[in-house]
Amino acid sequence: MIKVGVLGARGRVGAELCRAVEAAEDLELVAAVDAGDDRAPLEAAEVAIDFTHPAAVMDNLRWLIEHGVHAVVGTTGFDEERLATVRGWLAERPGANVLIAPNFAVGAVLMMSFAQKAAPFFDSVEIVELHHPNKADAPSGTARRTAELVTAAREKAGVGPSPDATTTGLDGARGADVDGVHVHAVRLAGLIAHQEVLLGGHGETLTIRHDSLSRESFSPGVLLAVRRVAELPGLTIGIESLLGL
Ligand SMILES: NC(=O)C1=CN([C@@H]2O[C@H](COP(=O)(O)OP(=O)(O)OC[C@H]3O[C@@H](n4cnc5c(N)ncnc54)[C@H](OP(=O)(O)O)[C@@H]3O)[C@@H](O)[C@H]2O)C=CC1
Ligand SMILES: O=C(O)C1=N[C@H](C(=O)O)C[C@H](O)C1
């Protein structure tokens, strides 16, 4: 049995993950911690899952690393600076491992992988992410990661930026520029988490779309990471390698 703690346990995803951990025969939920709670019960955990808030996650991670608890993190807000800080903490306290993924849904991971593969073959790439209106951050962590992967793939293939002759208009009309890719964020009641990667070339377009229709979509990927994080030294980004991608 792997002893598991959840940070953000009363949140939309955290509550779902508590149910998933309790339902798994090889996992035991030993701590369910939310904002304002004492983190001490997490000392009993071998692995802690963090689905909290970008403003809270770094403090949680430092605590977990200091206490030798492996971390599986879905919370967004990680840029290169934050990742370098986490690597520094891990170098000082090598007992704990950390896996951070912008999206644990298997279909979303495949969507990013397909977009990365397709990106060099088209003149234009844009990303539209669509989420529930209570989401804290925009654009989503998934959209940021997709843009990074798309740009890296295009640069590696020697493909230039997407054409765009816009010279006038309203601020924001072309979305946010993430690594040279235009990213558009929709917030709409009724939605959960969705993304389209739009690719356009000579007389054709390709649209790669993923929909999380329920927050259960994140559970299999998170539980896979919980089961494997102890054997992944240091910092791992994404669950691609765990899926054999
Ligand atoms: N990687 C992935 O696959 C996915 C990532 N996410 C990300 O996960 C995060 C959470 O999303 P979601 O569940 O919708 O958000 P919610 O706001 O529903 O849940 C977050 C919970 O964490 C609590 N919390 C805040 N600070 C702390 C803290 N310091 N310690 C413990 N708990 C804390 C919040 O309490 P309070 O409300 O009182 O502040 C809340 O109960 C977001 O960053 C989101 O983007 C979401 C889905 C999938
Ligand atoms: O806040 C959410 O809901 C989600 N957050 C993650 C992100 O920002 O990419 C993953 C998924 O899109 C759901």
Side-chain angles (χ1 to χ4, degrees):
M1 290 282 260
I2 303 173
K3 292 182 177 16
V4 181
V6 175
L7 279 151
R10 291 193 288 274
R12 284 176 287 266
V13 182
E16 183 61 47
L17 291 171
C18 287
R19 283 190 284 276
V21 169
E22 283 183 316
E25 287 183 357
D26 59 334
L27 308 178
E28 182 188 358
L29 184 67
V30 295
V33 173
D34 206 86
D37 295 346
D38 190 350
R39 282 183 293 214
L42 288 162
E43 287 181 54
E46 292 160 76
V47 181
I49 300 167
D50 187 302
F51 277 74
T52 57
H53 191 280
V57 65
M58 290 300 278
D59 191 46
N60 286 339
L61 259 179
R62 188 173 48 190
W63 189 94
L64 293 170
I65 292 167
E66 278 173 3
H67 288 79
V69 179
H70 302 306
V72 169
V73 179
T75 307
T76 46
F78 284 90
D79 55 15
E80 271 312 316
E81 193 182 334
R82 281 188 168 203
L83 294 175
T85 301
V86 174
R87 284 192 188 95
W89 293 338
L90 287 168
E92 282 169 23
R93 303 291 289 262
N97 304 333
V98 174
L99 185 150
I100 301 171
N103 202 314
F104 282 94
V106 171
V109 176
L110 289 169
M111 176 255 301
M112 287 189 269
S113 173
F114 296 154
Q116 184 181 14
K117 197 159 194 161
F121 294 95
F122 292 84
D123 294 334
S124 300
V125 187
E126 301 219 0
I127 297 170
V128 185
E129 59 94 329
L130 311 92
H131 281 83
H132 60 94
N134 296 312
K135 182 166 175 54
D137 55 328
S140 70
T142 308
R144 285 173 182 270
R145 179 72 180 145
T146 311
E148 286 168 13
L149 294 172
V150 158
T151 297
R154 286 168 74 88
E155 281 176 3
K156 191 173 172 202
V159 178
S162 298
D164 182 359
T166 307
T167 53
T168 181
L170 289 178
D171 281 353
R174 295 286 293 114
D177 180 330
V178 183
D179 267 18
V181 178
H182 288 275
V183 178
H184 310 268
V186 176
R187 297 290 173 266
L188 200 70
L191 295 182
I192 301 251
H194 319 258
Q195 180 167 298
E196 287 189 0
V197 184
L198 308 168
L199 302 115
H202 298 282
E204 61 173 341
T205 64
L206 171 65
T207 303
I208 304 169
R209 179 174 173 116
H210 175 259
D211 297 277
S212 273
L213 303 172
S214 138
R215 292 186 176 86
E216 283 174 46
S217 60
F218 307 116
S219 298
V222 173
L223 296 198
L224 175 65
V226 165
R227 292 178 177 116
R228 299 283 300 280
V229 66
E231 67 196 55
L232 299 168
L235 176 63
T236 302
I237 305 296
I239 58 166
E240 285 79 350
S241 61
L242 306 188
L243 297 173
L245 292 172

